[in-house]
Amino acid sequence: MPTDDLPETFHVTTDEQLRAVSNLTRHRIMAVLRFEPATITQIAERVGLAKGSSSYHVRLLERAGLVKVVRTRKVRGVTERYYAMAARTIALPDPGEGGPDMLMRHAVADLEAAPVESERHVRMAHLRLTEEQFAELGARLEALADEYRELSDPSLPDASLAFALFRPAPRGRARGEAK
């Protein structure tokens, strides 16, 4: 299914949507649907779930408006539904100071679950940047991610890219410490 007619961004704004995307299993289902539509059976196989569990999670995502039925077909008297993402990207609300960052939690969980023998590029760098350099680096990282997303081929194996550019809490005021 071509994704040309999909909206660019779906903004998560409701509690129902936030609950839907905060679950790691549903995050993985959305990753399956990112490039091509799939049936409940296909989703279950790719994520490693029972069909019933896969159906439950997809229904929650559909109810929240994050995925939608894009095609149906009759197979032995049963209507088979193909699901796809409702938009090219999902924008999460800012977690606020000290709030959980679901995107990074999901990325770390996916990294930890990746086969140990697979190639990985993981790096953390501590930088000291001016406001202008900070903004420029953020824009360049986003542009690079967008460029490679456009080059993505659904027939190739998945690869995940996660980055976080942020200013950490001042020393002595780390999370959980008194102000």
Side-chain angles (χ1 to χ4, degrees), residues 36-51:
E36 61 187 338
T39 65
I40 294 295
T41 301
Q42 293 168 332
I43 293 166
E45 290 171 359
R46 292 179 190 160
V47 179
L49 290 173
K51 280 176 58 175

Side-chain angles (χ1 to χ4, degrees), residues 9-21 64-66 90-94 102:
T9 305
F10 181 98
H11 292 274
V12 171
T13 57
T14 69
D15 288 342
E16 178 185 26
Q17 293 165 347
L18 198 54
R19 278 191 302 277
V21 297
L66 296 158
I90 305 294
L92 298 174
D94 187 329
M102 282 180 285

Side-chain angles (χ1 to χ4, degrees), residues 1 4 19 54 83-84 106 116 118 123-125 130 136 138 140 143 158-159 168:
M1 175 195 123
D4 296 340
R19 278 191 302 277
S54 179
Y83 295 88
H106 290 331
V116 175
S118 67
R123 180 172 178 198
M124 181 170 184
T130 65
E136 178 189 351
R140 287 175 61 190
D158 287 346

Side-chain angles (χ1 to χ4, degrees), residues 96-125:
E97 186 176 348
D101 192 316
M102 282 180 285
L103 185 63
M104 282 291 115
R105 286 183 180 185
H106 290 331
V108 169
D110 286 347
L111 176 62
E112 290 172 343
V116 175
E117 66 278 358
S118 67
E119 183 177 6
R120 302 171 186 218
H121 301 275
V122 179
R123 180 172 178 198
M124 181 170 184

